Amino acid sequence: MFRVTMKEDLNEQDYYLEVESPHVSRHWRPGQFVIIMTHERGERVPISVATINGGRVGMFIKKLGKTSVELYRDFKVGSSLYAVAGPLGRPLKLESYGTVVLASDAVCGHAEQLGLAQELAKLGNKVISIQTFKTEKEVYPEKYLAKKYVDEYFITTLDGTAGYKGHYIDLLRELLARREVKAVFAGGALANLKKLAEATAGLDVRVYALVRTIMVDGTGMCGSCRVRYNGVIAYACRDGPWFDARLVDWDDVLRRDARFKKVEKIALDKYLAR
Amino acid sequence: MVKKRFTPKVLPVSERLRSFGEVVLGYDYETSVREASRCLRCPLWFAPCSKACPLRVKVPAFLEYIVKGDLEAAARKVYEDNLFPSITGRVCPQEWFCEGNCVVSKIGESVSVGLLERYVGDYARENGLDEKILAEMVSKNSGVKGRVAVVGSGPAGLSAAGWLRLRGYEVVVYEALHRPGGVLAYGIPEFRLPRSVLDHEIKKVENLGVEIRLNHVVGKTVLLSELLSEYDAVFIGSGAGTPKLLNIPGVDLNNIYTANEFLTRVNLMRAHLFPEWDTPISVGKTTLIIGGGNTAMDAARVALRLGSKPVVVYRRDREDMLKTTRRDEVLHAEEEGVEFKYYLQPIEFLGDENGFVKAVRFEVMEPLNELDERGKKKIVGTGRYVEIPADTVVIAIGLEPNRLLMEESGLRFNEDGTIAVDDHLMMSLPGVFAGGDAIRGESTVVEAMADGKRAAEEIDLYVRRKKGLA
Ligand SMILES: Cc1cc2nc3c(=O)[nH]c(=O)nc-3n(C[C@H](O)[C@H](O)[C@H](O)COP(=O)(O)OP(=O)(O)OC[C@H]3O[C@@H](n4cnc5c(N)ncnc54)[C@H](O)[C@@H]3O)c2cc1C
Ligand SMILES: Cc1cc2nc3c(=O)[nH]c(=O)nc-3n(C[C@H](O)[C@H](O)[C@H](O)COP(=O)(O)OP(=O)(O)OC[C@H]3O[C@@H](n4cnc5c(N)ncnc54)[C@H](O)[C@@H]3O)c2cc1C
Ligand code: FES
């Protein structure tokens, strides 16, 4: 069960992992995620779904802490994960908006773009994709980019070594000024999603963001993932993880994301010292 | 006759402080025979203990076998009505059921039915009798009567699955988490219900031929409509898993947990063994637990074992707390040094510059001369306030049913989120039955098990009718 069928580097920090999970792939819709566990002692870790190939679920994962590093180092093609649960979260209710922008600057956002682009195209939207990387070296291999599914495609790098120089927010500002964009779907670094919400405040465009919070069960049972949304408490795993970016209390999200920083470091250091 | 009950062995307080080992160690053989001898052996048609038991365990009959020293016969008697004596014997609030109605309690202390049931259950388990008894029970069936899907593997689901197997059905249980057991696995700590006991009880159900599919969220991974087309009937035991939060300022601060998150991180994910186990928990020096139910007691005693100082803050008084909280848990918490503060209602959480909680502001409450529907004193604010410093807070003010499962199914809910069922435990959708916390709201393990058992009976009737067999 949950056998690893493929593992490939995307760049120095990010990798692609494909796992047999036919139970997840049958009903998965864009916007939904999975929860994986490496082994019995593992943490329940939420991960976006990048690809569905038959009964196999493909993910983009960043080597960040104990789980993601261990998964990279100790799991090979043929190894099995202890658990894959899902699909979790609410599928996005996508519409025919007209011109739509997808924007991302980190693993989970890049992953979500692939499914969203295909679905939005099916609904007759004109889809523009912006993917931000730090430098040219970090740009993913072509087959893992949203490029092939969209009408217009931009890469931006922070240092300008590839594509547009700057962040997706910078380019998006230009697009919003020049074009009639009806909706934006963004995922990735939380601090930048906060900036995106601020940059688009008051504009006549819908802005949806992937709210990445710390989860345990992923089924609405614990409240770990809670976020202040439009003044009330919402559970990202059950009511999200996609929300209207301008109704999210991003300071709350950022604060709660740092809850376990101290102890997480202990786990990683201990694993690396093995 | 002996008016006082015999006390069980208990782990000394000094050994409990940093350990998750079981607290109540139970009776040995001699003590259980002596305790069982205190029973007046009311005839079964009368026995108030048995009538008060949601599972109708024939208490005087199984106690009589203990007195005779025939533990196998005692186990058989229990298993006629209850497949999980090692669980109910440990976690039932017996004072509201069997023991609370024991005739002996009119002249002395009631017979310790819970500890005796646990003794018999443990004896059967440790000697392989439970598997033997169940194998005999299941072998009475000829052929398969039908197939039933069970949603959730808490006490309601496990009980429904077990009794359905015993009635000759093929059963598949769908569980959202990676581990079966429901609240027994993620809520109730192992110092009350050891993992080895729970694991065995679940294995027992699997050995009966029940398949448990983990990591399957019904409504997401498989849809209710799919289950209905694949199975003859569906039983929903999805529990009351969603925590209520206090809607007061500061509730979003870090280190404020719901009891479910706090307990799940420890009981299910074993954060107390971090970093050997990967899931973290962060607790400070003082943990304030808001609430006064079973969940609050469990959270307080877990906090204590994580090395924090627990303070339970309840808005009424101790007497009212005992109306809805298992007595033993309150007593154990008190003797372990958990501090209790009464008549305080939280109104605001205060945080430090990093967004971690540092204190809680309460309004001092006072009782009125009036009782509410549950027989508790009504309370009102006094306009006086106190601030209690705390670097960790656990909110344990209750749960409501998890609506996730049913969002897309078009099923009918009551206003409080519970699932509406008819007198036969059937929902608005024919062939779909439900029980346990999903229909009752927060309730008890034994009532969930009793619902599972009754649903098995109702499902049996429904399926046989549908197939023209009844
Ligand atoms: C809906 C959703 C989709 C996600 N998609 C992806 C993805 O496609 N690729 C990817 O690499 N990561 C994704 N994440 C984040 C991923 O879950 C965390 O990075 C992962 O848990 C890190 O675990 P770790 O042990 O490697 O690092 P740790 O050292 O444990 O944690 C590093 C950081 O990861 C976050 N984190 C830690 N534990 C959890 C948890 N249980 N739940 C959520 N976040 C946590 C926190 O920000 C933490 O500070 C997603 C999260 C959510 C909620
Ligand atoms: C901390 C705590 C302590 C308690 N202590 C006691 C006690 O000492 N004595 C007592 O009698 N009672 C106690 N209770 C109450 C008791 O645990 C519950 O009444 C009982 O567990 C209800 O059983 P259930 O089977 O209905 O639901 P649960 O035990 O909640 O089980 C429901 C199961 O269904 C699963 N599920 C939910 N939705 C889905 C879905 N869509 N698909 C698949 N699976 C799903 C859940 O993951 C879970 O495993 C306590 C409760 C708590 C929270
Ligand atoms: S992760 Fe537990 S409620 Fe969302």
Coordinates of all heavy atoms in Angstrom, one line a residue, chain A residues 23 26-27 37 39-44 66 83-84 86-87 89-90 214 216 219-222 224 226 228 233 235 238 252 255-256 259-260 263 267 270, chain B residues 177-178 186 215-217 220-223 226 241-243 245 251-254 256-258 260-261 264-265 269 274-280 282 355 402 407:
Chain A
H23 N -7.3 5.1 -3.8 CA -8.5 5.6 -3.0 C -8.6 7.1 -3.1 O -9.7 7.7 -3.0 CB -8.5 5.1 -1.6 CG -7.3 5.6 -0.7 ND1 -6.0 5.5 -1.1 CD2 -7.4 6.2 0.5 CE1 -5.3 6.0 -0.1 NE2 -6.1 6.5 0.8
R26 N -9.5 8.7 -7.0 CA -10.8 8.5 -7.6 C -11.7 9.8 -7.5 O -12.3 10.2 -8.5 CB -11.6 7.4 -7.0 CG -11.1 6.0 -7.5 CD -12.1 4.9 -7.1 NE -12.4 5.0 -5.7 CZ -13.7 5.0 -5.3 NH1 -14.7 4.9 -6.1 NH2 -13.9 5.1 -4.0
H27 N -11.7 10.5 -6.4 CA -12.6 11.6 -6.2 C -11.9 12.9 -6.1 O -12.5 13.9 -5.8 CB -13.5 11.4 -5.0 CG -14.5 10.3 -5.2 ND1 -15.4 10.4 -6.2 CD2 -14.7 9.2 -4.5 CE1 -16.2 9.3 -6.1 NE2 -15.8 8.6 -5.1
M37 N 1.7 10.1 6.1 CA 2.6 9.8 7.3 C 3.7 8.9 6.7 O 3.4 7.9 6.0 CB 1.8 9.0 8.3 CG 0.9 9.9 9.2 SD -0.1 8.9 10.3 CE 1.1 8.6 11.6
H39 N 5.8 6.9 8.6 CA 5.8 5.7 9.4 C 4.9 5.8 10.6 O 4.4 6.9 10.8 CB 7.2 5.2 9.8 CG 8.0 6.4 10.3 ND1 7.8 7.0 11.5 CD2 9.1 7.1 9.8 CE1 8.6 8.0 11.7 NE2 9.4 8.1 10.6
E40 N 4.8 4.8 11.4 CA 3.9 4.8 12.5 C 4.1 5.9 13.5 O 3.2 6.5 14.1 CB 3.9 3.4 13.2 CG 2.8 3.3 14.2 CD 2.9 2.1 15.1 OE1 4.0 1.4 15.0 OE2 2.0 1.9 15.9
R41 N 5.4 6.3 13.6 CA 5.8 7.4 14.5 C 5.7 8.7 13.9 O 6.1 9.7 14.5 CB 7.2 7.1 15.1 CG 7.3 5.8 15.8 CD 8.7 5.6 16.3 NE 8.7 4.6 17.2 CZ 9.4 4.5 18.3 NH1 10.3 5.4 18.6 NH2 9.3 3.5 19.1
G42 N 5.3 8.8 12.6 CA 5.4 10.0 11.9 C 4.3 11.0 12.2 O 3.4 10.7 12.9
E43 N 4.5 12.2 11.7 CA 3.5 13.3 11.9 C 2.5 13.2 10.8 O 2.9 12.7 9.7 CB 4.3 14.6 11.8 CG 3.5 15.8 12.3 CD 4.3 17.1 12.4 OE1 5.5 17.0 12.1 OE2 3.8 18.1 12.7
R44 N 1.3 13.7 11.0 CA 0.4 13.7 9.9 C 0.6 15.0 9.1 O 0.4 16.1 9.6 CB -1.1 13.7 10.4 CG -1.5 12.3 11.0 CD -2.9 12.4 11.6 NE -3.9 12.6 10.5 CZ -4.5 11.7 9.9 NH1 -4.3 10.4 10.1 NH2 -5.4 12.0 9.0
K66 N 12.0 17.7 9.7 CA 12.3 16.3 9.9 C 11.5 15.4 8.8 O 12.1 14.6 8.1 CB 11.8 15.9 11.3 CG 11.5 14.5 11.5 CD 12.7 13.7 11.9 CE 12.6 12.2 11.7 NZ 11.5 11.4 12.3
A83 N 0.9 6.0 5.7 CA -0.5 6.4 5.5 C -0.6 7.5 4.4 O 0.3 8.4 4.4 CB -1.1 6.9 6.8
V84 N -1.7 7.4 3.6 CA -2.0 8.5 2.7 C -3.6 8.6 2.9 O -4.3 7.7 2.6 CB -1.7 8.3 1.3 CG1 -2.1 9.5 0.4 CG2 -0.2 8.0 1.1
G86 N -7.2 11.0 2.1 CA -7.7 12.0 1.4 C -8.7 11.6 0.3 O -9.0 10.4 0.3
P87 N -9.1 12.4 -0.6 CA -8.7 13.8 -0.7 C -9.4 14.6 0.5 O -10.6 14.3 0.8 CB -9.3 14.2 -2.0 CG -10.4 13.3 -2.3 CD -10.0 12.0 -1.7
G89 N -10.3 18.5 2.5 CA -10.6 19.9 2.1 C -11.7 20.0 1.1 O -12.2 19.0 0.6
R90 N -12.2 21.2 0.9 CA -13.3 21.4 0.0 C -12.8 21.6 -1.4 O -11.8 22.4 -1.6 CB -14.0 22.7 0.4 CG -15.2 22.4 1.2 CD -16.2 23.6 1.3 NE -16.9 23.2 2.5 CZ -17.3 24.1 3.3 NH1 -17.1 25.4 3.2 NH2 -18.0 23.7 4.4
I214 N -1.1 24.7 10.3 CA -0.6 23.5 10.9 C -1.8 22.5 11.2 O -2.7 22.9 11.9 CB 0.2 23.8 12.1 CG1 1.5 24.6 11.7 CG2 0.6 22.5 12.9 CD1 2.4 25.0 12.8
V216 N -3.5 18.5 12.1 CA -3.2 17.2 12.7 C -4.1 16.2 12.0 O -3.6 15.4 11.2 CB -3.5 17.2 14.3 CG1 -3.2 15.8 14.8 CG2 -2.7 18.2 15.0
T219 N -9.6 16.5 9.4 CA -11.0 16.2 9.2 C -11.9 17.1 10.0 O -13.1 16.8 10.1 CB -11.3 14.8 9.6 OG1 -11.1 14.6 11.0 CG2 -10.4 13.8 8.8
G220 N -11.4 18.2 10.6 CA -12.3 19.1 11.4 C -12.5 18.6 12.8 O -13.4 19.1 13.5
M221 N -11.6 17.8 13.3 CA -11.8 17.2 14.6 C -11.0 17.9 15.7 O -11.3 17.8 16.9 CB -11.4 15.7 14.5 CG -11.5 14.9 15.8 SD -10.0 14.9 16.7 CE -9.1 13.7 15.9
C222 N -9.9 18.6 15.3 CA -9.0 19.1 16.4 C -8.9 20.6 16.5 O -8.6 21.2 17.6 CB -7.7 18.5 16.3 SG -6.6 19.3 15.0
S224 N -6.6 22.5 15.2 CA -5.2 23.0 15.1 C -5.1 23.9 13.9 O -4.4 24.9 14.0 CB -4.3 21.7 14.9 OG -3.0 22.2 14.5
R226 N -7.1 26.1 12.7 CA -8.1 27.2 12.7 C -7.5 28.5 12.2 O -6.3 28.8 12.5 CB -8.8 27.3 14.0 CG -7.9 27.8 15.2 CD -8.7 27.7 16.4 NE -8.1 28.5 17.5 CZ -7.3 27.9 18.5 NH1 -7.1 26.6 18.4 NH2 -6.8 28.6 19.4
R228 N -8.7 32.8 11.5 CA -9.7 33.8 11.6 C -10.1 34.2 10.2 O -9.2 34.7 9.4 CB -9.3 34.9 12.5 CG -10.4 35.7 12.9 CD -10.3 36.3 14.3 NE -10.5 35.4 15.4 CZ -11.7 35.2 16.0 NH1 -12.8 35.7 15.5 NH2 -11.8 34.4 17.0
I233 N -14.1 32.0 13.3 CA -13.1 30.9 13.2 C -13.5 29.9 12.2 O -14.6 29.4 12.2 CB -12.9 30.3 14.6 CG1 -12.2 31.2 15.6 CG2 -12.1 29.0 14.5 CD1 -12.3 30.8 17.0
Y235 N -12.0 26.4 10.0 CA -11.0 25.3 10.0 C -10.5 25.1 8.5 O -11.3 24.8 7.6 CB -11.6 24.0 10.4 CG -11.9 23.9 11.9 CD1 -11.7 25.0 12.7 CD2 -12.5 22.8 12.5 CE1 -11.9 25.0 14.1 CE2 -12.7 22.8 13.9 CZ -12.4 23.9 14.7 OH -12.7 23.8 16.0
R238 N -11.2 21.8 6.8 CA -12.6 21.4 6.5 C -13.3 22.5 5.6 O -14.0 22.1 4.6 CB -13.4 21.3 7.8 CG -14.8 20.8 7.7 CD -15.6 21.0 9.0 NE -15.6 22.4 9.4 CZ -15.9 22.8 10.6 NH1 -16.3 21.9 11.5 NH2 -15.9 24.1 10.9
D252 N -2.9 36.5 12.0 CA -3.2 35.4 12.8 C -2.6 34.1 12.2 O -2.0 33.3 12.8 CB -4.8 35.3 12.7 CG -5.3 34.0 13.4 OD1 -4.7 33.7 14.5 OD2 -6.2 33.4 12.9
R255 N 1.2 34.1 12.7 CA 1.5 33.9 14.1 C 1.4 32.4 14.5 O 2.3 31.8 15.0 CB 0.6 34.7 15.0 CG 0.8 34.4 16.5 CD 0.2 35.4 17.4 NE -0.9 36.1 16.9 CZ -2.2 35.6 16.8 NH1 -2.4 34.4 17.1 NH2 -3.2 36.3 16.3
R256 N 0.3 31.8 14.1 CA 0.0 30.4 14.4 C 1.0 29.5 13.6 O 1.2 28.4 14.1 CB -1.5 30.1 14.1 CG -2.4 30.7 15.2 CD -3.8 30.3 15.0 NE -4.0 28.8 15.0 CZ -4.1 28.2 16.2 NH1 -4.0 28.8 17.3 NH2 -4.3 26.8 16.2
R259 N 4.0 28.4 15.7 CA 3.8 27.9 17.0 C 4.8 26.9 17.5 O 5.1 26.8 18.7 CB 2.4 27.1 17.0 CG 1.2 27.9 17.0 CD 0.0 27.2 17.4 NE -0.4 26.2 16.3 CZ -1.2 25.2 16.6 NH1 -1.5 24.9 17.8 NH2 -1.6 24.4 15.5
F260 N 5.3 26.1 16.6 CA 6.2 24.9 17.0 C 7.6 25.1 16.5 O 8.4 24.1 16.5 CB 5.6 23.6 16.5 CG 4.3 23.3 17.1 CD1 3.1 23.3 16.3 CD2 4.1 23.1 18.4 CE1 1.9 23.0 16.8 CE2 2.9 22.8 19.0 CZ 1.7 22.8 18.2
V263 N 10.5 23.6 18.7 CA 10.6 22.1 18.9 C 10.9 21.5 17.5 O 11.6 20.4 17.4 CB 9.4 21.5 19.5 CG1 9.5 21.5 21.0 CG2 8.1 22.2 19.1
A267 N 13.7 18.3 16.4 CA 13.4 17.0 15.6 C 14.3 16.9 14.4 O 14.9 15.8 14.2 CB 11.9 17.0 15.2
K270 N 18.0 16.3 15.5 CA 18.2 14.9 16.0 C 18.2 13.9 14.9 O 19.0 13.0 14.9 CB 17.0 14.6 17.0 CG 17.1 13.2 17.6 CD 16.4 13.1 18.9 CE 16.7 11.8 19.6 NZ 16.1 10.6 19.0
Chain B
L177 N -9.1 8.2 10.1 CA -7.8 8.3 10.7 C -6.9 7.1 10.3 O -7.4 6.1 9.8 CB -7.8 8.6 12.2 CG -8.5 9.9 12.6 CD1 -8.7 10.0 14.1 CD2 -7.7 11.1 12.1
H178 N -5.6 7.2 10.7 CA -4.7 6.0 10.5 C -4.8 5.0 11.5 O -4.1 4.0 11.5 CB -3.3 6.6 10.3 CG -2.8 7.2 11.6 ND1 -3.1 8.5 11.9 CD2 -2.0 6.8 12.6 CE1 -2.5 8.8 13.0 NE2 -1.9 7.8 13.5
Y186 N -8.0 8.6 20.4 CA -7.4 9.9 20.4 C -7.8 10.8 21.6 O -7.1 11.8 21.9 CB -7.7 10.7 19.1 CG -9.1 11.1 18.8 CD1 -9.6 12.2 19.5 CD2 -9.9 10.5 17.8 CE1 -10.9 12.6 19.3 CE2 -11.2 11.0 17.6 CZ -11.7 12.0 18.3 OH -13.0 12.4 18.0
N215 N -7.7 5.5 6.8 CA -7.5 6.6 5.9 C -8.6 6.8 4.8 O -8.3 7.3 3.8 CB -6.1 6.3 5.1 CG -5.0 6.1 6.1 OD1 -4.7 6.9 6.9 ND2 -4.3 5.0 5.9
H216 N -9.8 6.4 5.2 CA -10.9 6.5 4.3 C -11.9 7.5 4.9 O -12.6 7.1 5.9 CB -11.6 5.2 4.0 CG -10.9 4.4 2.9 ND1 -9.7 3.9 3.1 CD2 -11.3 4.1 1.7 CE1 -9.3 3.2 2.0 NE2 -10.3 3.3 1.1
V217 N -12.1 8.7 4.3 CA -13.0 9.6 4.9 C -14.3 9.5 4.0 O -14.3 9.8 2.8 CB -12.5 11.1 4.7 CG1 -13.4 12.0 5.4 CG2 -11.1 11.2 5.3
K220 N -15.6 12.0 1.2 CA -14.4 12.5 0.5 C -13.8 11.4 -0.3 O -13.7 11.4 -1.5 CB -13.4 13.1 1.4 CG -13.9 14.2 2.3 CD -13.8 15.5 1.6 CE -14.4 16.6 2.5 NZ -14.7 17.9 1.8
T221 N -13.3 10.4 0.4 CA -12.6 9.2 -0.2 C -13.6 8.3 -0.9 O -13.4 7.9 -2.0 CB -11.8 8.4 0.8 OG1 -11.1 9.3 1.7 CG2 -10.8 7.5 0.1
V222 N -14.7 8.0 -0.2 CA -15.8 7.3 -0.7 C -17.1 8.0 -0.4 O -17.1 8.6 0.7 CB -16.0 5.8 -0.2 CG1 -15.1 4.8 -0.9 CG2 -15.7 5.8 1.3
L223 N -18.0 8.0 -1.3 CA -19.2 8.8 -1.0 C -20.3 7.8 -0.4 O -20.3 6.6 -0.7 CB -19.8 9.4 -2.3 CG -18.7 10.2 -3.1 CD1 -19.3 10.8 -4.4 CD2 -18.1 11.3 -2.2
E226 N -22.0 5.8 -2.9 CA -21.3 4.6 -3.4 C -21.5 3.5 -2.4 O -21.7 2.3 -2.8 CB -19.8 4.9 -3.5 CG -19.5 5.9 -4.7 CD -18.0 6.3 -4.6 OE1 -17.6 6.7 -3.6 OE2 -17.4 6.2 -5.7
G241 N -17.2 14.9 16.8 CA -15.8 15.2 16.8 C -15.4 16.7 16.7 O -14.2 16.9 16.7
T242 N -16.3 17.6 16.6 CA -15.8 19.0 16.3 C -15.8 19.8 17.6 O -16.9 20.0 18.2 CB -16.6 19.6 15.2 OG1 -16.4 18.9 14.0 CG2 -16.2 21.1 15.0
P243 N -14.7 20.3 18.0 CA -14.6 21.1 19.3 C -15.3 22.4 19.2 O -15.2 23.1 18.1 CB -13.1 21.3 19.5 CG -12.4 21.1 18.2 CD -13.3 20.2 17.4
L245 N -15.3 26.3 20.4 CA -14.3 27.3 20.8 C -15.0 28.4 21.5 O -16.2 28.7 21.3 CB -13.5 27.8 19.6 CG -12.3 26.9 19.2 CD1 -11.9 27.2 17.8 CD2 -11.2 27.1 20.2
V251 N -8.6 34.4 21.5 CA -8.7 32.9 21.5 C -7.8 32.3 20.4 O -7.5 31.2 20.4 CB -10.2 32.5 21.3 CG1 -10.7 32.8 19.9 CG2 -10.4 31.0 21.6
D252 N -7.3 33.2 19.5 CA -6.4 32.7 18.4 C -4.9 32.7 18.9 O -4.1 32.2 18.1 CB -6.5 33.6 17.2 CG -7.9 33.8 16.7 OD1 -8.6 32.8 16.7 OD2 -8.4 34.9 16.5
L253 N -4.6 33.1 20.1 CA -3.2 33.2 20.5 C -2.6 31.8 20.5 O -3.2 30.8 20.6 CB -3.1 33.8 21.9 CG -3.4 35.3 22.0 CD1 -3.7 35.7 23.5 CD2 -2.3 36.1 21.4
N254 N -1.3 31.8 20.4 CA -0.5 30.5 20.4 C -0.5 29.9 21.8 O -0.7 30.6 22.8 CB 0.9 30.8 19.9 CG 1.0 31.1 18.4 OD1 0.0 31.0 17.7 ND2 2.2 31.4 18.0
I256 N -2.9 28.2 22.8 CA -4.3 27.9 23.2 C -4.8 26.8 22.4 O -4.8 26.9 21.1 CB -5.2 29.2 23.0 CG1 -4.7 30.3 23.9 CG2 -6.6 28.8 23.4 CD1 -5.5 31.6 23.9
Y257 N -5.0 25.7 23.0 CA -5.5 24.5 22.3 C -6.9 24.2 22.6 O -7.4 24.5 23.6 CB -4.7 23.3 22.8 CG -3.2 23.3 22.6 CD1 -2.4 23.8 23.6 CD2 -2.6 22.7 21.5 CE1 -1.0 23.8 23.4 CE2 -1.2 22.7 21.3 CZ -0.4 23.3 22.3 OH 0.9 23.2 22.1
T258 N -7.6 23.5 21.7 CA -8.8 22.8 22.0 C -8.4 21.5 22.7 O -7.3 21.0 22.5 CB -9.6 22.5 20.8 OG1 -8.9 21.4 20.1 CG2 -9.9 23.7 19.9
N260 N -9.4 18.7 22.1 CA -9.2 17.6 21.1 C -7.8 17.7 20.5 O -7.2 16.7 20.3 CB -10.2 17.8 20.0 CG -11.4 16.9 20.2 OD1 -11.6 16.3 21.3 ND2 -12.2 16.7 19.2
E261 N -7.3 18.9 20.2 CA -6.0 19.0 19.6 C -5.0 18.6 20.7 O -4.1 17.8 20.4 CB -5.7 20.5 19.2 CG -4.2 20.6 18.6 CD -3.8 21.9 18.2 OE1 -4.5 22.9 18.3 OE2 -2.6 22.1 17.8
T264 N -5.3 14.8 21.2 CA -4.9 14.1 20.0 C -3.4 14.1 19.8 O -2.8 13.0 19.4 CB -5.6 14.6 18.7 OG1 -7.0 14.6 18.9 CG2 -5.3 13.8 17.5
R265 N -2.8 15.2 20.0 CA -1.3 15.3 19.8 C -0.7 14.3 20.7 O 0.3 13.6 20.3 CB -0.8 16.7 20.1 CG -1.1 17.7 18.9 CD -0.4 19.0 19.1 NE -0.7 19.9 18.0 CZ 0.0 19.9 16.9 NH1 1.1 19.3 16.8 NH2 -0.4 20.7 15.9
M269 N -1.0 10.8 18.5 CA 0.3 11.1 17.8 C 1.5 11.0 18.8 O 2.6 11.0 18.3 CB 0.2 12.5 17.2 CG -0.9 12.8 16.3 SD -1.2 11.6 15.0 CE 0.2 11.7 14.0
F274 N 7.9 12.8 21.8 CA 8.7 13.6 20.9 C 10.1 13.8 21.4 O 10.3 14.0 22.6 CB 8.0 15.0 20.7 CG 8.7 16.0 19.8 CD1 8.4 16.0 18.5 CD2 9.7 16.9 20.3 CE1 9.0 16.9 17.6 CE2 10.3 17.8 19.4 CZ 10.0 17.8 18.1
P275 N 11.2 13.8 20.6 CA 11.2 13.6 19.2 C 11.4 12.2 18.7 O 11.6 12.0 17.5 CB 12.4 14.4 18.8 CG 13.4 14.3 20.0 CD 12.5 14.1 21.2
E276 N 11.2 11.2 19.6 CA 11.2 9.8 19.0 C 10.0 9.6 18.1 O 10.1 8.9 17.2 CB 11.1 8.8 20.2 CG 12.5 8.3 20.7 CD 13.3 9.3 21.4 OE1 12.7 10.0 22.2 OE2 14.5 9.5 21.1
W277 N 8.9 10.3 18.5 CA 7.7 10.3 17.6 C 7.7 11.8 17.1 O 8.2 12.7 17.8 CB 6.5 10.0 18.4 CG 6.4 8.6 18.8 CD1 7.2 7.9 19.6 CD2 5.4 7.6 18.3 NE1 6.8 6.6 19.7 CE2 5.7 6.3 18.9 CE3 4.3 7.7 17.5 CZ2 5.0 5.2 18.7 CZ3 3.5 6.5 17.3 CH2 3.9 5.3 17.8
D278 N 7.2 12.0 15.9 CA 7.5 13.2 15.2 C 6.6 14.4 15.6 O 6.9 15.5 15.3 CB 7.4 13.0 13.7 CG 8.5 12.1 13.1 OD1 9.5 11.9 13.9 OD2 8.4 11.7 12.0
T279 N 5.4 14.1 16.1 CA 4.5 15.2 16.3 C 4.8 16.0 17.6 O 4.9 15.4 18.7 CB 3.0 14.7 16.4 OG1 2.8 13.9 15.2 CG2 2.0 15.8 16.6
P280 N 4.9 17.3 17.5 CA 5.3 18.1 18.6 C 4.1 18.6 19.4 O 3.0 18.5 19.0 CB 6.0 19.3 18.0 CG 5.3 19.5 16.7 CD 4.9 18.1 16.2
S282 N 3.5 21.9 22.5 CA 4.3 22.9 23.2 C 3.5 23.3 24.5 O 2.3 23.7 24.4 CB 4.5 24.1 22.3 OG 4.5 25.3 23.0
G355 N 2.8 36.8 20.6 CA 1.6 36.1 20.3 C 1.3 34.9 21.0 O 0.4 34.1 20.6
N402 N -19.4 16.3 13.8 CA -18.6 16.7 12.7 C -19.4 16.6 11.4 O -19.9 15.5 11.1 CB -17.4 15.7 12.6 CG -16.3 16.2 11.7 OD1 -16.6 17.0 10.8 ND2 -15.2 15.7 11.8
E407 N -21.7 16.6 4.4 CA -21.9 17.9 3.6 C -22.5 17.6 2.2 O -23.4 18.3 1.9 CB -20.6 18.6 3.4 CG -20.4 19.7 4.4 CD -19.1 20.4 4.4 OE1 -18.4 20.3 3.4 OE2 -18.8 21.2 5.3

